[in-house]
PDB file of all heavy atoms in Angstrom:
ATOM      1  N   LEU A   1       0.852  -1.216  -0.022  1.00 95.00           N
ATOM      2  CA  LEU A   1      -0.020   0.023  -0.046  1.00 95.00           C
ATOM      3  C   LEU A   1       0.776   1.168  -0.046  1.00 95.00           C
ATOM      4  O   LEU A   1       1.867   1.350   0.668  1.00 95.00           O
ATOM      5  CB  LEU A   1      -0.968  -0.020   1.301  1.00 95.00           C
ATOM      6  CG  LEU A   1      -1.839  -1.201   1.392  1.00 95.00           C
ATOM      7  CD1 LEU A   1      -2.670  -1.123   2.668  1.00 95.00           C
ATOM      8  CD2 LEU A   1      -2.904  -1.189   0.227  1.00 95.00           C
ATOM      9  N   ALA A   2       0.374   2.266  -0.729  1.00 93.00           N
ATOM     10  CA  ALA A   2       1.274   3.468  -0.709  1.00 93.00           C
ATOM     11  C   ALA A   2       1.186   4.203   0.609  1.00 93.00           C
ATOM     12  O   ALA A   2       0.182   4.268   1.332  1.00 93.00           O
ATOM     13  CB  ALA A   2       0.477   4.584  -1.795  1.00 93.00           C
ATOM     14  N   GLY A   3       2.382   4.641   1.074  1.00 93.00           N
ATOM     15  CA  GLY A   3       2.546   5.396   2.231  1.00 93.00           C
ATOM     16  C   GLY A   3       2.705   4.445   3.475  1.00 93.00           C
ATOM     17  O   GLY A   3       2.946   5.007   4.621  1.00 93.00           O
ATOM     18  N   LEU A   4       2.833   3.121   3.256  1.00 95.00           N
ATOM     19  CA  LEU A   4       3.075   2.241   4.416  1.00 95.00           C
ATOM     20  C   LEU A   4       4.427   1.634   4.206  1.00 95.00           C
ATOM     21  O   LEU A   4       4.867   1.262   3.221  1.00 95.00           O
ATOM     22  CB  LEU A   4       2.027   1.173   4.485  1.00 95.00           C
ATOM     23  CG  LEU A   4       0.729   1.486   5.307  1.00 95.00           C
ATOM     24  CD1 LEU A   4      -0.113   2.429   4.575  1.00 95.00           C
ATOM     25  CD2 LEU A   4       0.066   0.255   5.731  1.00 95.00           C
ATOM     26  N   ARG A   5       5.070   1.375   5.286  1.00 95.00           N
ATOM     27  CA  ARG A   5       6.361   0.692   5.471  1.00 95.00           C
ATOM     28  C   ARG A   5       6.538  -0.136   6.712  1.00 95.00           C
ATOM     29  O   ARG A   5       5.753   0.195   7.723  1.00 95.00           O
ATOM     30  CB  ARG A   5       7.522   1.641   5.274  1.00 95.00           C
ATOM     31  CG  ARG A   5       7.676   2.714   6.363  1.00 95.00           C
ATOM     32  CD  ARG A   5       8.881   3.446   6.226  1.00 95.00           C
ATOM     33  NE  ARG A   5       9.010   4.585   7.175  1.00 95.00           N
ATOM     34  CZ  ARG A   5       9.385   4.382   8.489  1.00 95.00           C
ATOM     35  NH1 ARG A   5       9.708   3.197   8.906  1.00 95.00           N
ATOM     36  NH2 ARG A   5       9.459   5.401   9.328  1.00 95.00           N
ATOM     37  N   ALA A   6       7.394  -1.031   6.776  1.00 94.00           N
ATOM     38  CA  ALA A   6       7.716  -1.839   8.072  1.00 94.00           C
ATOM     39  C   ALA A   6       8.452  -0.877   9.057  1.00 94.00           C
ATOM     40  O   ALA A   6       9.239   0.014   8.701  1.00 94.00           O
ATOM     41  CB  ALA A   6       8.568  -2.952   7.761  1.00 94.00           C
ATOM     42  N   ALA A   7       8.056  -1.103  10.253  1.00 92.00           N
ATOM     43  CA  ALA A   7       8.507  -0.199  11.398  1.00 92.00           C
ATOM     44  C   ALA A   7       9.931  -0.668  11.690  1.00 92.00           C
ATOM     45  O   ALA A   7      10.360  -1.805  11.458  1.00 92.00           O
ATOM     46  CB  ALA A   7       7.689  -0.393  12.747  1.00 92.00           C
ATOM     47  N   THR A   8      10.779   0.258  12.111  1.00 90.00           N
ATOM     48  CA  THR A   8      12.148  -0.094  12.700  1.00 90.00           C
ATOM     49  C   THR A   8      11.934  -0.452  14.182  1.00 90.00           C
ATOM     50  O   THR A   8      11.030  -0.086  14.843  1.00 90.00           O
ATOM     51  CB  THR A   8      13.031   1.158  12.481  1.00 90.00           C
ATOM     52  OG1 THR A   8      12.523   2.264  13.052  1.00 90.00           O
ATOM     53  CG2 THR A   8      13.260   1.387  11.018  1.00 90.00           C
ATOM     54  N   PRO A   9      12.995  -0.967  14.773  1.00 86.00           N
ATOM     55  CA  PRO A   9      12.808  -1.358  16.139  1.00 86.00           C
ATOM     56  C   PRO A   9      12.584  -0.201  17.038  1.00 86.00           C
ATOM     57  O   PRO A   9      13.317   0.970  16.893  1.00 86.00           O
ATOM     58  CB  PRO A   9      14.292  -1.944  16.429  1.00 86.00           C
ATOM     59  CG  PRO A   9      14.752  -2.545  15.208  1.00 86.00           C
ATOM     60  CD  PRO A   9      14.216  -1.537  14.141  1.00 86.00           C
ATOM     61  N   GLY A  10      11.571  -0.095  17.879  1.00 84.00           N
ATOM     62  CA  GLY A  10      11.302   0.921  18.806  1.00 84.00           C
ATOM     63  C   GLY A  10      10.585   2.108  18.277  1.00 84.00           C
ATOM     64  O   GLY A  10      10.358   3.029  18.976  1.00 84.00           O
ATOM     65  N   GLU A  11      10.034   1.993  17.012  1.00 89.00           N
ATOM     66  CA  GLU A  11       9.487   3.055  16.309  1.00 89.00           C
ATOM     67  C   GLU A  11       8.159   3.474  16.857  1.00 89.00           C
ATOM     68  O   GLU A  11       7.787   4.689  17.073  1.00 89.00           O
ATOM     69  CB  GLU A  11       9.457   2.842  14.799  1.00 89.00           C
ATOM     70  CG  GLU A  11       9.066   4.203  14.050  1.00 89.00           C
ATOM     71  CD  GLU A  11       9.304   4.098  12.600  1.00 89.00           C
ATOM     72  OE1 GLU A  11       9.696   2.975  12.059  1.00 89.00           O
ATOM     73  OE2 GLU A  11       9.103   5.115  11.940  1.00 89.00           O
ATOM     74  N   PHE A  12       7.426   2.556  17.289  1.00 89.00           N
ATOM     75  CA  PHE A  12       6.120   2.726  17.900  1.00 89.00           C
ATOM     76  C   PHE A  12       6.293   3.578  19.222  1.00 89.00           C
ATOM     77  O   PHE A  12       5.640   4.485  19.393  1.00 89.00           O
ATOM     78  CB  PHE A  12       5.324   1.516  18.123  1.00 89.00           C
ATOM     79  CG  PHE A  12       4.686   0.882  16.886  1.00 89.00           C
ATOM     80  CD1 PHE A  12       5.413  -0.116  16.104  1.00 89.00           C
ATOM     81  CD2 PHE A  12       3.471   1.228  16.554  1.00 89.00           C
ATOM     82  CE1 PHE A  12       4.914  -0.668  15.034  1.00 89.00           C
ATOM     83  CE2 PHE A  12       2.954   0.649  15.378  1.00 89.00           C
ATOM     84  CZ  PHE A  12       3.649  -0.340  14.617  1.00 89.00           C
ATOM     85  N   ALA A  13       7.208   3.077  20.048  1.00 85.00           N
ATOM     86  CA  ALA A  13       7.335   3.696  21.322  1.00 85.00           C
ATOM     87  C   ALA A  13       7.986   5.094  21.138  1.00 85.00           C
ATOM     88  O   ALA A  13       7.676   6.023  21.808  1.00 85.00           O
ATOM     89  CB  ALA A  13       8.418   2.913  22.205  1.00 85.00           C
ATOM     90  N   ARG A  14       8.845   5.211  20.147  1.00 87.00           N
ATOM     91  CA  ARG A  14       9.521   6.649  19.816  1.00 87.00           C
ATOM     92  C   ARG A  14       8.433   7.574  19.340  1.00 87.00           C
ATOM     93  O   ARG A  14       8.467   8.755  19.668  1.00 87.00           O
ATOM     94  CB  ARG A  14      10.593   6.474  18.785  1.00 87.00           C
ATOM     95  CG  ARG A  14      11.319   7.722  18.588  1.00 87.00           C
ATOM     96  CD  ARG A  14      12.736   7.546  17.989  1.00 87.00           C
ATOM     97  NE  ARG A  14      13.457   8.795  17.921  1.00 87.00           N
ATOM     98  CZ  ARG A  14      14.765   8.879  17.595  1.00 87.00           C
ATOM     99  NH1 ARG A  14      15.514   7.719  17.456  1.00 87.00           N
ATOM    100  NH2 ARG A  14      15.374   9.995  17.595  1.00 87.00           N
ATOM    101  N   ARG A  15       7.445   7.072  18.645  1.00 91.00           N
ATOM    102  CA  ARG A  15       6.391   7.995  18.183  1.00 91.00           C
ATOM    103  C   ARG A  15       5.475   8.358  19.343  1.00 91.00           C
ATOM    104  O   ARG A  15       5.047   9.471  19.435  1.00 91.00           O
ATOM    105  CB  ARG A  15       5.513   7.281  17.060  1.00 91.00           C
ATOM    106  CG  ARG A  15       6.184   7.126  15.733  1.00 91.00           C
ATOM    107  CD  ARG A  15       5.389   6.622  14.543  1.00 91.00           C
ATOM    108  NE  ARG A  15       6.151   6.579  13.316  1.00 91.00           N
ATOM    109  CZ  ARG A  15       5.483   6.672  12.072  1.00 91.00           C
ATOM    110  NH1 ARG A  15       4.192   6.834  12.025  1.00 91.00           N
ATOM    111  NH2 ARG A  15       6.287   6.708  11.196  1.00 91.00           N
ATOM    112  N   ALA A  16       5.296   7.426  20.290  1.00 88.00           N
ATOM    113  CA  ALA A  16       4.544   7.708  21.535  1.00 88.00           C
ATOM    114  C   ALA A  16       5.278   8.812  22.236  1.00 88.00           C
ATOM    115  O   ALA A  16       4.652   9.690  22.795  1.00 88.00           O
ATOM    116  CB  ALA A  16       4.353   6.464  22.323  1.00 88.00           C
ATOM    117  N   PHE A  17       6.577   8.690  22.329  1.00 82.00           N
ATOM    118  CA  PHE A  17       7.346   9.748  23.149  1.00 82.00           C
ATOM    119  C   PHE A  17       7.286  11.072  22.272  1.00 82.00           C
ATOM    120  O   PHE A  17       7.023  12.159  22.830  1.00 82.00           O
ATOM    121  CB  PHE A  17       8.832   9.322  23.147  1.00 82.00           C
ATOM    122  CG  PHE A  17       9.777  10.413  23.554  1.00 82.00           C
ATOM    123  CD1 PHE A  17       9.853  10.794  24.967  1.00 82.00           C
ATOM    124  CD2 PHE A  17      10.567  11.156  22.720  1.00 82.00           C
ATOM    125  CE1 PHE A  17      10.722  11.909  25.382  1.00 82.00           C
ATOM    126  CE2 PHE A  17      11.377  12.122  23.131  1.00 82.00           C
ATOM    127  CZ  PHE A  17      11.473  12.430  24.462  1.00 82.00           C
ATOM    128  N   ALA A  18       7.452  11.052  20.915  1.00 84.00           N
ATOM    129  CA  ALA A  18       7.496  12.348  20.195  1.00 84.00           C
ATOM    130  C   ALA A  18       6.067  12.973  20.236  1.00 84.00           C
ATOM    131  O   ALA A  18       5.922  14.307  20.222  1.00 84.00           O
ATOM    132  CB  ALA A  18       7.729  12.063  18.724  1.00 84.00           C
ATOM    133  N   ASN A  19       5.042  12.264  20.410  1.00 88.00           N
ATOM    134  CA  ASN A  19       3.691  12.768  20.580  1.00 88.00           C
ATOM    135  C   ASN A  19       3.181  13.132  21.941  1.00 88.00           C
ATOM    136  O   ASN A  19       2.023  13.326  22.252  1.00 88.00           O
ATOM    137  CB  ASN A  19       2.644  11.893  19.802  1.00 88.00           C
ATOM    138  CG  ASN A  19       2.823  11.861  18.341  1.00 88.00           C
ATOM    139  OD1 ASN A  19       3.165  12.819  17.637  1.00 88.00           O
ATOM    140  ND2 ASN A  19       2.713  10.610  17.725  1.00 88.00           N
ATOM    141  N   GLY A  20       4.085  12.884  22.879  1.00 84.00           N
ATOM    142  CA  GLY A  20       3.755  13.144  24.341  1.00 84.00           C
ATOM    143  C   GLY A  20       2.966  12.271  25.029  1.00 84.00           C
ATOM    144  O   GLY A  20       2.453  12.507  26.217  1.00 84.00           O
ATOM    145  N   ARG A  21       2.927  11.051  24.484  1.00 86.00           N
ATOM    146  CA  ARG A  21       2.128   9.920  25.211  1.00 86.00           C
ATOM    147  C   ARG A  21       2.882   9.288  26.304  1.00 86.00           C
ATOM    148  O   ARG A  21       2.403   8.893  27.251  1.00 86.00           O
ATOM    149  CB  ARG A  21       1.675   8.882  24.250  1.00 86.00           C
ATOM    150  CG  ARG A  21       0.765   9.311  23.034  1.00 86.00           C
ATOM    151  CD  ARG A  21      -0.408   9.997  23.552  1.00 86.00           C
ATOM    152  NE  ARG A  21      -1.381   8.985  24.157  1.00 86.00           N
ATOM    153  CZ  ARG A  21      -2.478   9.383  24.811  1.00 86.00           C
ATOM    154  NH1 ARG A  21      -2.894  10.538  24.906  1.00 86.00           N
ATOM    155  NH2 ARG A  21      -3.186   8.339  25.326  1.00 86.00           N
ATOM    156  N   ILE A  22       4.247   9.296  26.273  1.00 81.00           N
ATOM    157  CA  ILE A  22       5.089   8.824  27.199  1.00 81.00           C
ATOM    158  C   ILE A  22       6.313   9.711  27.348  1.00 81.00           C
ATOM    159  O   ILE A  22       6.655  10.479  26.414  1.00 81.00           O
ATOM    160  CB  ILE A  22       5.528   7.379  27.055  1.00 81.00           C
ATOM    161  CG1 ILE A  22       6.267   7.274  25.702  1.00 81.00           C
ATOM    162  CG2 ILE A  22       4.291   6.366  27.098  1.00 81.00           C
ATOM    163  CD1 ILE A  22       6.993   5.838  25.367  1.00 81.00           C
ATOM    164  N   ASP A  23       6.966   9.669  28.458  1.00 75.00           N
ATOM    165  CA  ASP A  23       8.201  10.380  28.588  1.00 75.00           C
ATOM    166  C   ASP A  23       9.340   9.464  28.645  1.00 75.00           C
ATOM    167  O   ASP A  23       9.182   8.158  28.467  1.00 75.00           O
ATOM    168  CB  ASP A  23       8.317  11.398  29.872  1.00 75.00           C
ATOM    169  CG  ASP A  23       8.217  10.636  31.081  1.00 75.00           C
ATOM    170  OD1 ASP A  23       8.499   9.278  31.138  1.00 75.00           O
ATOM    171  OD2 ASP A  23       7.759  11.187  32.163  1.00 75.00           O
ATOM    172  N   LEU A  24      10.681   9.926  28.806  1.00 73.00           N
ATOM    173  CA  LEU A  24      11.777   9.012  28.797  1.00 73.00           C
ATOM    174  C   LEU A  24      11.725   7.912  29.986  1.00 73.00           C
ATOM    175  O   LEU A  24      12.270   6.761  29.715  1.00 73.00           O
ATOM    176  CB  LEU A  24      13.003   9.740  28.833  1.00 73.00           C
ATOM    177  CG  LEU A  24      13.480  10.509  27.509  1.00 73.00           C
ATOM    178  CD1 LEU A  24      14.825  11.124  27.711  1.00 73.00           C
ATOM    179  CD2 LEU A  24      13.469   9.473  26.325  1.00 73.00           C
TER     180      LEU A  24
END
């Protein structure tokens, strides 16, 4: 599908951090 790609290690958690859902 256009615009989709496989995630890299830790990418879901890093997006959660970038979006303020979790801190370090």
Side-chain angles (χ1 to χ4, degrees):
L1 300 176
L4 270 75
R5 63 172 174 80
T8 58
E11 190 164 5
F12 285 91
R14 186 158 185 167
R15 290 186 177 208
F17 169 76
N19 293 322
R21 301 299 293 174
I22 58 175
D23 62 21
L24 284 185

